Amino acid sequence: MPRRGLVIQARTRWLLVGLALLFSLVLLMYLLECAPQTDGNGSLPGVVGESMGKEYYQALLQEQEEHYQNRATSLKRQIAQLKQELQEMSDKLKSLQEKKSPKVNGMNYQGTKEQTSNDLLEFLHSQIDKAEVSVGAKLPSEYGVIPFESFTSMKVFQLEMGLTRHPEEKPVRKDKRDELVEVIEAGLEVINNPDEEDGQEEDDGVGDRQLYSENDFIEGYYRTERDKGTQYELFYKKMDGMEYRHVTLFRPFGPLMKVKSETVDISRSIINVIVPLAGRTEAFAQFMQNFRDVCIHQDKRVHLTVVYFGHDGLSEVKSILESVARQTDFNNYTLVSLNEEFNRGRGLDMGARAWEKGEVLMFFCDVDVYFTAEFLNSCRLNAEPGKKVFYPVVFSLYNPAIVYANQDIPPPVEQQLVHKKDSGFWRDFGFGMTCQYRTDFLTVGGFDLEVKGWGGEDVHLYRKYLHGELMVVRTPVPGLFHLWHEKHCADELTPEQYRMCIQSKAMNEASHSHLGMLVFREEIEAHLRKQAYRTNSEAVG
């Protein structure tokens, strides 16, 4: 869309309303002029009319007729101009639609050129009708208002931070940066071309105008109503001036449009669950209990690949796999043994290459992860070879010793799997659990095997997909949990890896409120002792 697209889009509503008003004005003015005069000398024939005679009335009528003919001509010219602008916008919208039409037309979307043109006009009109942020709407409380985010040319200030966002930060995502740059430039277009604002230049009374630039942008605010669109309030100011220029822009949402409808059959989709492991045999036994309940008894379309590093604990892992195989008649598993130092990326890479049956959907998993049968279906639905990779956000459980400190022992794991603020958090900074097809993994180059120790390899792979052609589906899923376990950050890690490990360790322990109670434990205990002392003193007295 050209640079003026946003301005034109925001003004289109007023153009359409202006058409209706102008037509109504012409009709109203005509009716008023055709009505008999109620004031002036022309309504007093006994005083002036008798002396002036017929010629006076004819001259008066002709003068009025010429006046309104000129006025009607002016209005017609303005209406024609508005129609032309509307047609230009329709043509631009049609051109954009045609550029994006191959995917849509591939889904049985047919029609004549006339139908397409009419549909585009109807779409434009309906979009304008719906595209209006409500003003003065009745809200149940002060919490019902949608807050604005504020921004400058370099920073964004946000209320909702989550776990990884900060109260002040640079717009890291490219789409957010592009959006704000486009909005600032659109505001400049409005200010520097006031002739496009229905005579703004005449209203301002400015002769030689100063042109504004990006350096004159001071601050802006934006908010989005999900059923209407995004509203922008922009402020500009010259360094040597005292006046601000305020521009309001609006990016409307249109009605829902069908893109495609398809049937997806996942009944024969096999998932290769790949688990890298070193030691931690107790955790692996717990993992296999979940695997047996979900994958063997319920889903039955799963292959397990365990990549084990080192010799210590290898015999126990073999014994656990063989025991499950005997009890459930399950033989769809592969054990890869590597006599080397643990490297998660290396283990997952070996697990992917150990598969020799062609294409397969892979789930990169850790031994501390608990998943449900519903998650396996989400894995199949959100990954597509050559098109999509799935990066679910895991719900990470806090330390049960802190969460359930008021109980003698923590409840069983199955009862800890709840999505509550004090029980866990969405690990939106982790990218280790992912579903993707083997060919896509190999095509993108797999993991960076130069990354040693903990962390980093999953982020590198994630970035490869972000820079590639495949769509990355990133969303929290309710059926995927990361069970708490104590973390050890080795001294051999690089500074960046160590920082990430410590950050993950800190986030894993407990919620903000629980950590606060631990920090102020001595103060709380002192308060309880004082309360007990006062109670005893009053009882004795």
Side-chain angles (χ1 to χ4, degrees):
M1 180 177 291
R3 202 168 119 186
R4 297 179 53 211
L6 181 61
V7 179
I8 294 176
Q9 187 180 40
R11 295 179 49 228
T12 307
R13 173 177 176 270
W14 301 109
L15 294 177
L16 291 178
V17 174
L19 284 172
L21 290 177
L22 289 175
F23 280 121
S24 301
L25 181 61
V26 174
L27 179 61
L28 178 62
M29 298 296 288
Y30 177 76
L31 293 175
L32 288 175
E33 289 306 317
C34 292
Q37 297 288 338
T38 57
D39 57 356
N41 292 336
S43 62
L44 302 174
V47 179
V48 181
E50 292 180 358
S51 60
M52 300 294 292
K54 181 178 180 181
E55 291 79 5
Y56 169 78
Y57 289 105
Q58 289 178 339
L60 182 61
L61 288 173
Q62 184 172 352
E63 180 182 352
Q64 294 292 336
E65 183 177 358
E66 291 177 355
H67 172 75
Y68 285 108
Q69 282 181 349
N70 294 335
R71 181 59 178 164
T73 301
S74 176
L75 291 175
K76 289 179 180 179
R77 184 167 55 252
Q78 294 181 44
I79 292 172
Q81 182 179 356
L82 292 173
K83 285 183 176 180
Q84 182 180 358
E85 290 188 26
L86 180 60
Q87 184 61 44
E88 290 176 357
M89 285 185 290
S90 300
D91 294 340
K92 291 177 181 178
L93 182 61
K94 179 180 178 181
S95 176
L96 290 174
Q97 190 74 10
E98 288 176 349
K99 290 180 180 179
K100 299 179 180 180
S101 61
K103 292 183 179 179
V104 178
N105 291 338
M107 292 296 171
N108 297 325
Y109 187 91
Q110 299 177 347
T112 63
K113 292 183 178 180
E114 292 76 13
Q115 289 174 335
T116 302
S117 179
N118 292 334
D119 290 342
L120 288 170
L121 286 174
E122 290 179 6
F123 165 73
L124 179 62
H125 294 173
S126 60
Q127 185 186 39
I128 294 168
D129 291 339
K130 294 177 181 292
E132 182 178 8
V133 171
S134 58
V135 178
K138 294 183 179 180
L139 299 173
S141 69
E142 67 273 22
Y143 303 106
V145 68
I146 300 175
F148 282 88
E149 307 268 73
S150 62
F151 65 99
T152 64
S153 58
M154 296 296 293
K155 296 289 183 65
V156 175
F157 307 88
Q158 52 215 4
L159 292 178
E160 298 183 4
M161 295 180 292
L163 290 167
T164 59
R165 301 176 66 191
H166 303 283
E168 172 189 314
E169 65 183 23
K170 295 181 180 180
V172 178
R173 285 171 40 195
K174 182 179 183 300
D175 59 337
K176 175 56 66 176
R177 293 199 307 271
D178 292 346
E179 174 194 1
L180 297 182
V181 169
E182 179 189 12
V183 168
I184 294 173
E185 291 182 351
L188 291 173
E189 186 79 15
V190 173
I191 295 176
N192 292 330
N193 295 277
D195 55 311
E196 297 184 2
E197 294 190 294
D198 300 327
Q200 180 69 38
E201 185 173 9
E202 296 179 5
D203 295 339
D204 289 344
V206 179
D208 297 329
R209 295 181 292 105
Q210 286 184 313
L211 295 180
Y212 284 72
S213 68
E214 291 84 353
N215 296 330
D216 299 320
F217 174 71
I218 303 299
E219 63 181 0
Y221 307 93
Y222 69 92
R223 69 175 180 182
T224 300
E225 290 191 17
R226 296 183 178 179
D227 60 340
K228 296 179 177 66
T230 304
Q231 175 185 357
Y232 302 92
E233 303 290 340
L234 310 174
F235 296 89
Y236 301 80
K237 179 179 177 294
K238 287 288 185 182
M239 292 295 294
D240 56 350
M242 296 297 295
E243 294 183 350
Y244 288 81
R245 295 301 302 269
H246 175 205
V247 177
T248 299
L249 299 176
F250 186 70
R251 189 191 302 275
F253 293 156
L256 293 175
M257 297 182 66
K258 176 182 176 181
V259 177
K260 69 177 181 178
S261 177
E262 61 181 356
T263 301
V264 181
D265 184 6
I266 61 173
S267 61
R268 299 181 180 179
S269 178
I270 302 296
I271 297 179
N272 184 15
V273 179
I274 305 176
V275 181
L277 186 63
R280 308 203 56 208
T281 54
E282 292 184 4
F284 182 68
Q286 185 180 49
F287 173 85
M288 287 305 299
Q289 181 63 45
N290 173 232
F291 185 88
R292 172 163 48 186
D293 295 341
V294 173
C295 300
I296 300 177
H297 292 161
Q298 298 181 52
D299 191 89
K300 302 177 181 179
R301 293 163 292 164
V302 175
H303 184 94
L304 175 63
T305 300
V306 178
V307 181
Y308 196 85
F309 290 82
H311 293 293
D312 294 340
L314 178 59
S315 59
E316 296 179 54
V317 169
K318 287 182 179 179
S319 177
I320 294 172
L321 289 172
E322 292 171 356
S323 175
V324 172
R326 286 194 307 269
Q327 296 172 12
T328 61
D329 194 25
F330 175 79
N331 297 305
N332 294 329
Y333 70 89
T334 302
L335 177 60
V336 179
S337 177
L338 298 177
N339 187 22
E340 54 188 75
E341 184 181 355
F342 178 80
N343 183 310
R344 185 176 184 273
R346 162 81 168 153
L348 294 173
D349 186 81
M350 288 296 296
R353 298 179 188 278
W355 180 269
E356 299 177 349
K357 301 177 183 179
E359 183 65 291
V360 69
L361 175 59
M362 303 182 301
F363 171 38
F364 293 159
C365 186
D366 287 344
V367 72
D368 300 298
V369 167
Y370 184 101
F371 53 86
T372 65
E374 289 74 19
F375 165 74
L376 295 178
N377 288 332
S378 298
C379 182
R380 295 181 175 101
L381 292 171
N382 289 289
E384 188 174 352
K387 294 183 179 180
K388 295 189 296 184
V389 292
F390 185 39
Y391 273 85
V393 179
V394 182
F395 192 78
S396 188
L397 297 178
Y398 290 132
N399 187 345
I402 299 177
V403 175
Y404 305 100
N406 59 342
Q407 303 181 22
D408 294 335
I409 58 173
V413 171
E414 290 75 15
Q415 296 181 21
Q416 299 179 29
L417 306 177
V418 291
H419 300 97
K420 292 184 178 179
K421 189 173 183 179
D422 285 336
S423 65
F425 66 99
W426 291 111
R427 188 186 287 268
D428 56 352
F429 56 84
F431 305 93
M433 308 311 119
T434 173
C435 298
Q436 51 193 260
Y437 277 85
R438 184 173 182 270
T439 53
D440 295 330
F441 174 76
L442 298 178
T443 299
V444 81
F447 289 106
D448 183 357
L449 300 182
E450 297 299 321
V451 178
K452 304 295 182 182
W454 185 92
E457 78 289 333
D458 50 356
V459 179
H460 283 82
L461 179 63
Y462 183 74
R463 289 172 179 168
K464 286 183 180 180
Y465 283 118
L466 293 181
H467 298 156
E469 299 295 330
L470 274 65
M471 176 182 179
V472 177
V473 180
R474 176 76 166 158
T475 181
V477 291
L480 192 61
F481 296 86
H482 181 272
L483 305 181
W484 180 88
H485 63 92
E486 188 174 358
K487 281 185 175 294
H488 297 282
C489 299
D491 294 335
E492 295 77 15
L493 297 176
T494 65
E496 177 65 14
Q497 287 178 314
Y498 191 82
R499 182 193 65 81
M500 294 170 60
C501 184
I502 289 295
Q503 180 187 34
S504 179
K505 183 175 181 178
M507 301 294 286
N508 269 350
E509 287 302 309
S511 65
H512 192 129
S513 59
H514 275 146
L515 290 176
M517 297 296 287
L518 292 176
V519 170
F520 297 109
R521 176 187 295 174
E522 294 182 1
E523 184 176 335
I524 295 172
E525 291 176 351
H527 173 75
L528 293 176
R529 287 194 297 269
K530 291 179 181 178
Q531 290 291 341
Y533 176 78
R534 291 175 184 174
T535 302
N536 293 334
S537 299
E538 293 175 357
V540 173

